Amino acid sequence: MKLLRYGEPGAEKPGLLDAEGQIRDLSAHVDDITGTALNPDALAQLGAIDPTKLPRVDAATRIGPCVGSVGKLIAIGLNYADHAAEANMALPEEPIVFFKATSSICGPNDAVEIPRGSTKTDWEVELGVVIGSRAKYVSEADALSHVAGYCILNDVSERDFQLHRSGQWVKGKSHDTFAPMGPWLVTVDEIADPQDLSMSLSVNGHTMQDGSTRTMHFSVATVIAHLSQFMTLHPGDVIATGTPPGVGMGQKPPVYLSEGDTMVLRIEGLGEQRQTCTLA
Ligand code: ZN
C-alpha cells in the first residue's frame, strides 16, 4: 500500500495511490496519515479497502509529506562507508545520532529554501523509516516488526551551519524545507528487503549520488534496536538512515546548491522527489 497526504501545506488530506497510479481520497476512513493510523491493526483496516471505491483526486494536486504530526525526526550520520570516506571522517563504531527539527519537514516536490547567509547548502538522498508501533529496548531480531513503511527523505544540509557553527549538527539540518518526505509511505509488505534498494540523486540532470542501501553500515534493524536503547520510538516517528556517497561536500572541488537548481531523488519502489531551490 502506498499512503500519501495531499492538499495545501498544513491542511493535507489522507490518500492512497491505486494500482493505476491514481490518487484516491481516504478521508472517509481516516483523519490523517499520522502515528495512530500506522499501527498494524489500523494499516490492516486501510489495506482491506477497495481503492477503486474511493473518490479520485486531481492528479495535479500538491503532495504533502507522507506522514503528518511527526513526533521525532531522527537521523543517522556517516552510515555508508563510502560516504564517510568522502567526508574525510572515520566510520563510526556505533551509530551517530542527530535530530532534525520537525518544522523542516515538507512535501516531496516543494521548493527547497536556501537559508539566509548560506553558501553550502547540500543534498542527501536517504531511506526514511516510519515507525508503526512503540519500540523501547527492542532486539535487532524484533526491530523491523515496529516499522510501518518506508519513504524517500532528502536530508538537506547546510554544511557550514552543520560543522562550523558550534554545538550539534542540528543547526545545519533544520531549516524549513530541509526534509522533503515522500511522495508515499510504502508499507513494509511492498518492500521485500530494505537493505537492497537502489537510490540516486541528480542535480540539474547530472547524477550525483548513485548507490544502494546494500552498502549501509548499520542496517535499519540495527539502527532501530540501537535507538530504542536510548529513547522510545513512537508511531509516526521517522528515521533518516544516512546517505551514500556523492554529496556536494564530497565533490572535488565541492559543489553546493544555488537558486534555481533542481534535485531529483529516486529510491527503488518508493517513487521520486523533485525540488527546485529558492532563496529564503
Ligand atoms: Zn543524512
Side-chain angles (χ1 to χ4, degrees):
M1 192 164 40
K2 293 182 173 73
L3 298 172
L4 59 94
R5 299 168 69 249
Y6 68 92
E8 292 306 304
E12 289 93 348
K13 293 180 171 182
L16 61 73
L17 199 73
D18 72 15
E20 277 72 53
Q22 165 75 48
I23 299 173
R24 302 277 184 162
D25 175 31
L26 269 177
S27 297
H29 298 272
V30 66
D31 291 338
D32 197 356
I33 306 298
T34 60
T36 53
L38 298 177
N39 69 66
D41 290 345
L43 284 179
Q45 282 182 23
L46 293 180
I49 297 167
D50 177 358
T52 64
K53 302 276 197 296
L54 298 171
R56 288 167 180 265
V57 175
D58 181 359
T61 188
R62 169 186 175 268
I63 308 285
C66 58
V67 186
S69 304
V70 172
K72 293 193 283 299
L73 178 51
I74 311 164
I76 306 300
L78 304 176
N79 200 23
Y80 287 74
D82 24 17
H83 170 58
E86 76 173 348
N88 287 317
M89 295 190 209
L91 204 54
E93 285 175 26
E94 61 174 79
I96 292 176
V97 177
F98 63 93
F99 278 91
K100 288 173 78 76
T102 53
S103 50
S104 66
I105 294 170
C106 66
N109 305 314
D110 290 350
V112 161
E113 216 177 76
I114 297 175
R116 293 180 189 178
S118 164
T119 55
K120 295 181 177 177
T121 296
D122 201 348
W123 53 83
E124 296 190 347
V125 60
E126 307 204 2
L127 176 67
V129 176
V130 183
I131 297 297
S133 61
R134 187 176 177 275
K136 179 173 183 172
Y137 293 120
V138 300
S139 67
E140 225 173 285
D142 190 36
L144 292 184
S145 72
H146 294 274
V147 177
Y150 300 97
C151 62
I152 307 176
L153 199 147
N154 189 354
D155 178 17
V156 184
S157 306
E158 214 298 335
R159 300 302 183 192
D160 189 54
F161 297 1
Q162 176 190 350
L163 300 170
H164 302 125
R165 296 293 290 271
S166 299
Q168 302 179 327
W169 288 2
V170 65
K171 284 186 186 177
K173 297 284 191 173
S174 294
H175 189 74
D176 290 354
T177 73
F178 268 25
M181 194 185 291
W184 318 307
L185 188 176
V186 181
T187 50
V188 289
D189 52 291
E190 290 194 19
I191 302 296
D193 182 1
Q195 305 305 149
D196 189 21
L197 303 173
S198 61
M199 58 206 302
S200 67
L201 181 147
S202 69
V203 179
N204 301 333
H206 301 287
T207 301
M208 306 303 286
Q209 296 189 276
D210 184 13
S212 166
T213 57
R214 241 176 293 142
T215 65
M216 211 183 264
H217 183 49
F218 298 110
S219 69
V220 173
T222 303
V223 163
I224 291 169
H226 183 77
L227 287 171
S228 81
Q229 310 305 306
F230 301 98
M231 65 190 85
T232 300
L233 302 175
H234 291 280
D237 285 353
V238 176
I239 306 164
T241 54
T243 200
V247 300
M249 181 175 62
Q251 310 297 314
K252 295 187 177 35
V255 180
Y256 295 108
L257 293 165
S258 302
E259 184 182 16
D261 285 349
T262 298
M263 295 175 275
V264 175
L265 295 77
R266 295 191 182 96
I267 297 183
E268 192 178 351
L270 302 183
E272 178 183 302
Q273 299 188 344
R274 181 181 297 263
Q275 300 111 25
T276 298
C277 297
T278 58
L279 298 179

